[in-house]
């Protein structure tokens, strides 16, 4: 086991608690995180629209690591609760509403939804990723977890999982018939996606362990717009 000792349940819970410090958790995490972010919108000049709380965590951690002070720069990262809510928030806060500067991040599977939502909200028309980027919206290959696993390296990701006392659940997943023959990368993505709290915790842990110079391209482009 990590560090040569077996981690007990209390230790695992304490490490999980620390990773979620400052963020919401539980069944209502999505709606509560949106509500908290909306409370910070008055006085903001820039909104970063992301699909969920794990995206919010990763963007905020990586921005801080890149030297961006979101509070000082009047930037709010707003988890919108799914791609299909983009049009509503972009209309409310974009050029047809409060006219704030809008940036964003989405998964590859939701690219078309973002394209349609931005057009409906009057932000602009885009027909490909390059045009989306010109509007300030960036697409992850597959999803954010996929990007972070690639950036951190699979072997290091397993070490981080072990450091949290979660190696046994990972090995259990890898032994399941549906997953035992899958590549490690796919197994790790499934592992992170198999629990809401786990997804949030590891969004932070992975973002904290991305080596300098290996920032995923869509996040690099997004943060460059914030600098």
């Amino acid at each position: 086991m990590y560090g040569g000792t077996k981690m007990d349940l209390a230790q695992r819970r304490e490490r999980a608690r620390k990773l979620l410090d400052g963020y919401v958790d539980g069944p209502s995490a999505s709606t509560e995180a949106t509500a908290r972010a909306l409370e910070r919108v008055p006085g903001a000049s820039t909104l970063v629209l992301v699909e969920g709380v794990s995206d919010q965590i990763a963007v905020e951690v990586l921005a801080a690591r890149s030297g961006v002070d979101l509070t000082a720069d009047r930037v709010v990262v707003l988890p919108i609760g799914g791609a299909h809510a983009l049009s509503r928030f972009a209309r409310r806060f974009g050029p047809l509403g409060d006219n704030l500067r809008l940036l964003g991040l989405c998964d590859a599977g939701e690219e078309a939804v973002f394209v349609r939502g931005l057009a409906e909200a009057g932000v602009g028309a885009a027909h490909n990723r390059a045009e989306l980027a010109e509007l300030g919206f960036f697409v992850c290959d597959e999803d954010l977890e996929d990007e972070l696993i690639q950036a951190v390296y699979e072997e290091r990701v397993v070490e981080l999982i072990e450091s949290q006392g979660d190696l046994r659940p990972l090995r259990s997943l890898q032994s399941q018939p549906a997953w035992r023959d899958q590549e490690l990368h796919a197994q790790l993505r499934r592992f992170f996606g198999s629990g809401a709290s786990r997804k949030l915790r590891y969004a932070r842990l992975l973002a904290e362990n991305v080596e300098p110079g290996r920032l995923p391209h869509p996040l690099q482009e997004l943060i460059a717009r914030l600098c």
Side-chain angles (χ1 to χ4, degrees):
M1 298 296 292
Y2 187 81
T5 61
K6 183 176 181 179
M7 190 179 302
D8 62 28
L9 181 59
Q11 290 175 308
R12 290 177 61 192
R13 286 177 173 172
E14 177 61 15
R15 294 197 177 192
R17 184 195 65 77
K18 287 182 178 179
L19 284 174
L20 289 174
D21 187 34
Y23 292 98
V24 296
D25 187 22
S28 62
S30 179
T31 55
E32 187 176 344
T34 300
R36 287 189 182 187
L38 287 172
E39 290 176 356
R40 301 196 302 272
V41 170
S45 61
T46 300
L47 292 188
V48 180
L49 305 177
V50 296
E51 294 183 56
V53 185
S54 62
D55 306 294
Q56 176 194 21
I57 293 172
V59 169
E60 291 182 349
V61 169
L62 290 170
R65 292 190 63 202
S66 300
V68 179
D69 187 333
L70 297 177
T71 300
D73 292 340
R74 300 166 58 206
V75 176
V76 172
V77 182
L78 176 62
I80 60 177
H84 289 277
L86 174 71
S87 178
R88 174 163 56 91
F89 284 103
R91 184 180 296 271
R92 176 178 174 182
F93 296 115
L96 301 181
D98 293 347
N99 202 29
L100 300 179
R101 180 189 185 211
L102 300 183
L103 301 172
L105 188 73
C106 72
D107 296 342
E110 307 298 346
E111 182 177 348
V113 178
F114 263 54
V115 167
R116 184 168 60 252
L118 293 173
E120 292 173 352
V123 176
H127 303 91
N128 52 52
R129 290 190 183 183
E131 292 179 355
L132 266 179
E134 289 179 5
L135 296 177
F137 288 78
F138 306 95
V139 183
C140 294
D141 284 333
E142 298 299 334
D143 53 29
L144 182 63
E145 287 73 30
D146 178 76
E147 294 278 5
L148 291 174
I149 291 168
Q150 291 187 62
V152 176
Y153 295 112
E154 295 169 1
E155 293 78 8
R156 175 59 177 154
V157 173
V158 174
E159 291 177 359
L160 293 173
I161 291 171
E162 188 174 6
S163 77
Q164 301 304 302
D166 285 339
L167 190 59
R168 180 176 293 180
L170 173 63
R171 297 306 186 211
S172 177
L173 180 144
Q174 290 175 317
S175 69
Q176 295 174 12
W179 291 99
R180 65 168 62 120
D181 295 326
Q182 298 289 326
E183 294 183 353
L184 178 57
H185 188 95
Q187 293 171 341
L188 292 172
R189 285 186 63 207
R190 174 59 179 171
F191 178 76
F192 294 139
S194 60
S197 175
R198 181 182 292 165
K199 186 173 184 177
L200 304 189
R201 289 189 288 116
Y202 281 99
R204 183 169 194 166
L205 190 61
L206 294 178
E208 289 175 342
N209 281 272
V210 175
E211 295 180 2
R214 286 193 57 82
L215 198 63
H217 182 71
L219 287 158
Q220 183 180 37
E221 292 293 313
L222 173 62
I223 291 171
R225 295 290 182 95
L226 296 174
C227 294

